[in-house]
């Protein structure tokens, strides 16, 4: 599969929500609205337990599937863990790595994130790597240094040819689940900075292909203004992806923003 940032990329992170019947119901509702979407890439990310059932719902559609985390080892005595190839086995193409909730509650460090990204890439998954600052770091003017560190350490040792398979999600922690969104200018400032850092790491040709998402209280009403920004290629949506109507509205707003950008 080839990814491109020539169309918006909208991913719904369902987090710890939806048992199998509810997940199947939500996926079916989304499918009814966007069965064959050509002008946007759409990914839904149910909890592990619902992946296989949701995959069945998505057959014959353009909607793609992702998981919310992975372990880095392939197999072995690691009770409770799930490997990238097991995730691939359920029909997923994507996996979130380093979400701030994993970093905060489950001890995911930049080093662990790096191992997970490498393992995901080796299994043929596209990792969605999340980075972002706390409110305190923003107030202390440490946003860029934090993001730079997460970027450098998370992507350390990854072959330049694989960079375009990594999707980045800038998610300011103070904006996640709080109803407080970064303004389009604040978000674009950081996205532009990330693109610059990527250029330093792997050159302009590669960095310009990387898909960069914004995440943190994305709703239908703020999607257009965020995605209209030059370096914002889509959104990682939490709360608003749990209802088909708001998720589908976000997809439509993102398509409008892309049309506007390409004028
Ligand atoms: P939110 O979550 O949209 O509910 O703020 C975003 C995320 O955590 O990816």
């Amino acid at each position: 599969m080839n990814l491109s940032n020539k169309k918006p990329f909208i991913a719904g992170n369902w987090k710890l929500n939806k048992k199998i019947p509810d997940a199947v119901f939500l996926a079916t509702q989304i499918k009814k609205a966007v069965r064959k979407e050509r002008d946007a890439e759409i990914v839904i990310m149910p909890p592990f337990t619902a992946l296989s059932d949701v995959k069945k719902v998505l057959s014959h559609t353009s909607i793609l599937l992702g998981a919310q985390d992975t372990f880095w080892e392939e197999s072995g005595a690691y009770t409770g863990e799930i490997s990238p190839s097991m995730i691939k086995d359920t029909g997923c193409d994507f996996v979130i790595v380093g979400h701030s909730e994993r970093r905060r509650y489950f001890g995911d460090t930049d080093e662990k994130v790096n191992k997970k990204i490498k393992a995901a890439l080796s299994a043929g998954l596209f990792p969605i790597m999340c980075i972002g600052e706390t409110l305190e770091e923003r107030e202390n003017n440490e946003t860029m240094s934090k993001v730079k560190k997460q970027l450098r350490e998370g992507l350390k040792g990854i072959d330049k040819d694989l960079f375009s398979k990594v999707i980045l999600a800038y998610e300011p922690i103070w904006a996640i689940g709080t109803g407080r969104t970064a303004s389009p200018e604040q978000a674009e400032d950081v996205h532009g900075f990330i693109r610059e850092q990527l250029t330093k790491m792997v050159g302009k040709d590669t960095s310009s292909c990387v898909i960069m998402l914004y995440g943190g209280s994305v709703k239908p009403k703020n999607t257009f203004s965020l995605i209209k920004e030059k370096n914002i290629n889509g959104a990682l949506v939490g709360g608003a992806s749990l209802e088909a109507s708001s998720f589908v509205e976000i997809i439509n707003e993102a398509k409008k923003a892309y049309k506007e950008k390409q004028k």
Side-chain angles (χ1 to χ4, degrees):
M1 185 174 49
N2 276 329
L3 290 180
S4 138
N5 57 21
K6 302 273 177 286
K7 53 183 169 180
F9 186 106
I10 305 295
N13 171 12
W14 296 2
K15 306 192 181 183
L16 181 54
N17 294 290
K18 309 284 177 195
K19 291 183 189 160
I20 295 168
D22 304 325
V24 165
F25 179 77
L26 176 55
T28 309
Q29 297 294 103
I30 296 170
K31 167 168 114 168
K32 279 185 188 153
V34 286
R35 185 176 286 272
K36 288 260 166 13
E37 178 59 71
R38 287 164 192 273
D39 299 328
E41 208 69 85
I42 302 161
V43 183
I44 56 176
M45 299 164 137
F48 289 128
T49 47
L51 288 172
S52 297
D53 291 85
V54 168
K55 180 67 188 177
K56 286 182 204 139
V57 176
L58 300 184
S59 64
H60 309 296
T61 75
S62 58
I63 304 168
L64 300 165
L65 191 66
Q68 300 171 18
D69 187 35
T70 182
F71 188 47
W72 56 82
E73 292 293 345
E74 214 7 78
S75 61
Y78 302 103
T79 303
E81 291 297 335
I82 292 182
S83 73
S85 64
M86 288 173 175
I87 290 171
K88 184 86 188 156
D89 201 30
T90 63
C92 284
D93 287 299
F94 298 87
V95 63
I96 301 177
V97 175
H99 189 281
S100 64
E101 287 150 15
R102 299 288 330 162
R103 294 178 189 259
R104 187 160 21 145
Y105 306 128
F106 305 101
D108 279 18
T109 57
D110 288 327
E111 198 189 339
K112 290 182 184 173
V113 168
N114 182 249
K115 285 187 186 175
K116 291 181 177 191
I117 301 259
K118 286 177 177 160
L121 287 167
S122 315
L125 289 168
F126 295 95
I128 302 179
M129 175 171 127
C130 301
I131 54 179
E133 82 288 2
T134 61
L135 186 58
E136 196 186 352
E137 287 162 342
R138 174 158 286 265
E139 284 168 350
N140 292 336
N141 275 329
E142 290 164 4
T143 300
M144 302 309 188
S145 56
K146 170 76 176 292
V147 161
K148 182 173 169 181
K149 180 174 178 287
Q150 289 180 321
L151 200 61
R152 296 232 159 217
E153 295 186 7
L155 298 176
K156 202 192 249 161
I158 288 167
D159 204 81
K160 184 179 159 183
D161 298 340
L162 292 175
F163 261 63
S164 56
K165 296 194 186 304
V166 179
I167 296 156
L168 291 171
Y170 167 58
E171 299 205 304
I173 295 167
W174 48 272
I176 296 178
T178 57
R180 225 180 125 179
T181 328
S183 69
E185 297 73 28
Q186 282 174 323
E188 173 61 16
D189 245 17
V190 182
H191 278 242
F193 174 79
I194 295 171
R195 190 86 72 193
E196 258 170 52
Q197 292 303 310
L198 290 174
T199 302
K200 284 189 189 157
M201 291 162 81
V202 289
K204 198 163 186 241
D205 286 353
T206 303
S207 79
S208 63
C209 298
V210 174
I211 296 173
M212 295 202 301
L213 314 179
Y214 167 80
S217 298
V218 172
K219 308 283 176 221
K221 66 175 186 320
N222 56 30
T223 302
F224 181 85
S225 57
L226 284 161
I227 296 188
K228 202 164 61 50
E229 294 292 339
K230 181 165 173 254
N231 287 294
I232 304 182
N233 307 119
L236 181 53
V237 187
S241 72
L242 294 174
E243 293 286 339
S245 56
S246 46
F247 189 58
V248 170
E249 246 188 280
I250 287 174
I251 296 165
N252 290 333
E253 289 296 309
K255 285 187 341 195
K256 271 193 230 160
Y258 248 73
K259 269 201 189 127
E260 184 76 21
K261 259 207 286 213
Q262 283 158 348
K263 268 185 191 166

